[in-house]
Amino acid sequence: MALGLAKTFKESESALLDVLVRVRQKNGFFELGYPHLFTYCVQGLGLSEAQSSYFSKVARKSEEVPELKSAIEQGVLSLSQARRVVPVITKETARDWIAKAAALPQKELEREVRRVNPLAVTKDRVRIVAVDRSELKVGMSVEVERKLARVREILGPEVSLEQTLERLVDEFLKRKDPVQKAQRAEIRKAKRPTLGRSVARPTLGIPVHVLHAVNRRDRGQCQATTPHGRQCSEKNWVHLHHIVPKARGGANTADNLVTLCSAHHRFVHFTPGRSSRGS
């Protein structure tokens, strides 16, 4: 029974990969309202984040190296074996890496991959170690290590590595986080004495106070919803979208603006009748 179930599992894994490759090739996840294949796997298919990452990476590499997908379909490699060689396999080296992945134990395979690409096996990871504590594991180049050491020299020996990272993160967010900028603008506005109504100068762009208002409201996160009713989790490459287009008289006001990720922004514009507040 166990052998039969194991065979079924491998066949299902291969069949799902085949479907995901076709979904990716046709941007099917985009048509379904998901910004990425990874998000579709997690939210649409209910896979774990780890499983979704493996399938997404192998599906992407399979378009470049079809031999990798064929090896999985033929039972030569499992998905787990295939994803370990994704960082190094190419069309030119496919036969060699497939043979190594099939024959070598996991640790030896990782050693071979690391020999060709030293960064490939170092996995960035945040692991929960207590209720209010996490452990960070990250690889870094010698140059980054040198810069970090210089920062610690400036801060002084009494400052821990954790405190150093906190200072660096806080400084970056202070300068670059649009939500924090919006919050500071709101505080400045509250402290500013009222000297009468001011008249905003005409501008073709979105006024700064409107930009800040939208960022405070949306918190820099895409406001679209997936077909399963979940809010999109994307906070990268977000855009402001006019609900009523400017070409049709839409105003640069907070009520007429919504934050969308690049994928959902395209989805709204290229899907007739689709609401900009959900997909």
Side-chain angles (χ1 to χ4, degrees):
M1 175 181 282
L3 287 174
L5 291 173
K7 181 180 179 181
T8 301
F9 174 77
K10 290 181 179 179
E11 291 173 349
S12 298
E13 200 173 54
S14 173
L16 178 56
L17 176 64
D18 180 61
V19 171
L20 292 178
V21 168
R22 286 186 277 128
V23 167
R24 176 179 163 79
Q25 288 173 338
K26 298 180 179 179
N27 282 334
F29 57 87
F30 179 71
E31 297 300 326
L32 292 170
Y34 296 96
H36 308 289
L37 182 63
F38 174 82
T39 307
Y40 170 62
C41 288
V42 174
Q43 298 183 3
L45 302 182
L47 300 178
S48 70
E49 291 191 359
Q51 291 170 326
S52 300
S53 176
Y54 301 160
F55 274 111
S56 298
K57 290 177 180 178
V58 175
R60 182 167 60 249
K61 180 60 69 170
S62 293
E63 292 184 46
E64 177 189 334
V65 186
E67 294 88 345
L68 184 64
K69 179 170 174 287
S70 297
I72 298 172
E73 290 174 340
Q74 296 166 10
V76 176
L77 297 182
S78 66
L79 182 72
S80 178
Q81 291 170 315
R83 60 102 174 172
R84 296 182 192 282
V85 298
V86 162
V88 292
I89 192 170
T90 64
K91 285 186 66 68
E92 294 72 26
T93 63
R95 179 178 296 181
D96 183 40
W97 279 113
I98 288 172
K100 288 181 179 179
L104 295 176
Q106 176 182 324
K107 289 186 177 180
E108 290 187 28
L109 177 61
E110 289 182 349
R111 188 177 294 112
E112 285 294 305
V113 172
R114 188 185 292 111
R115 183 174 59 81
V116 176
N117 183 353
L119 301 179
V121 186
T122 304
K123 302 172 185 175
D124 296 347
R125 183 181 67 182
V126 177
R127 183 172 65 93
I128 297 173
V129 295
V131 175
D132 59 348
R133 299 290 296 172
S134 295
E135 179 184 74
L136 171 66
K137 177 182 177 182
V138 59
M140 66 177 70
S141 67
V142 173
E143 180 64 15
V144 172
E145 184 180 4
R146 182 190 65 78
K147 292 177 181 178
L148 183 58
R150 177 56 182 151
V151 173
R152 297 193 71 183
E153 287 175 353
I154 295 171
L155 293 177
E158 70 280 1
V159 179
S160 68
L161 179 56
E162 177 185 357
Q163 292 169 326
T164 302
L165 292 176
E166 183 178 15
R167 293 280 292 273
L168 291 172
V169 170
D170 285 345
E171 184 65 24
F172 177 85
L173 292 177
K174 179 181 177 181
R175 293 174 178 271
K176 298 296 185 180
D177 184 8
V179 177
Q180 286 197 18
K181 289 182 179 180
Q183 291 171 337
R184 290 197 298 271
E186 185 176 29
I187 294 172
R188 288 196 300 270
K189 181 179 178 182
K191 292 180 177 179
R192 188 182 303 135
T194 303
L195 301 176
R197 183 183 299 274
S198 62
V199 179
R201 291 177 296 176
T203 175
L204 295 177
I206 299 171
V208 174
H209 71 277
V210 173
L211 177 65
H212 288 332
V214 176
N215 284 330
R216 286 196 303 269
R217 183 194 67 203
D218 295 348
R219 311 296 298 176
Q221 181 172 339
C222 179
Q223 298 299 296
T225 54
T226 69
H228 285 71
R230 297 181 181 180
Q231 181 181 343
C232 178
S233 60
E234 285 298 312
K235 293 185 178 180
N236 294 322
W237 304 109
V238 291
H239 307 152
L240 292 188
H241 168 72
H242 287 82
I243 298 170
V244 178
K246 293 184 68 175
R248 298 213 306 264
N252 281 329
T253 61
D255 289 343
N256 192 46
L257 290 165
V258 64
T259 304
L260 297 177
C261 66
S262 57
H264 276 117
H265 201 184
R266 293 196 307 272
F267 188 61
V268 168
H269 280 290
F270 297 121
T271 308
R274 182 66 64 173
S275 168
S276 60
R277 288 193 179 275
S279 48

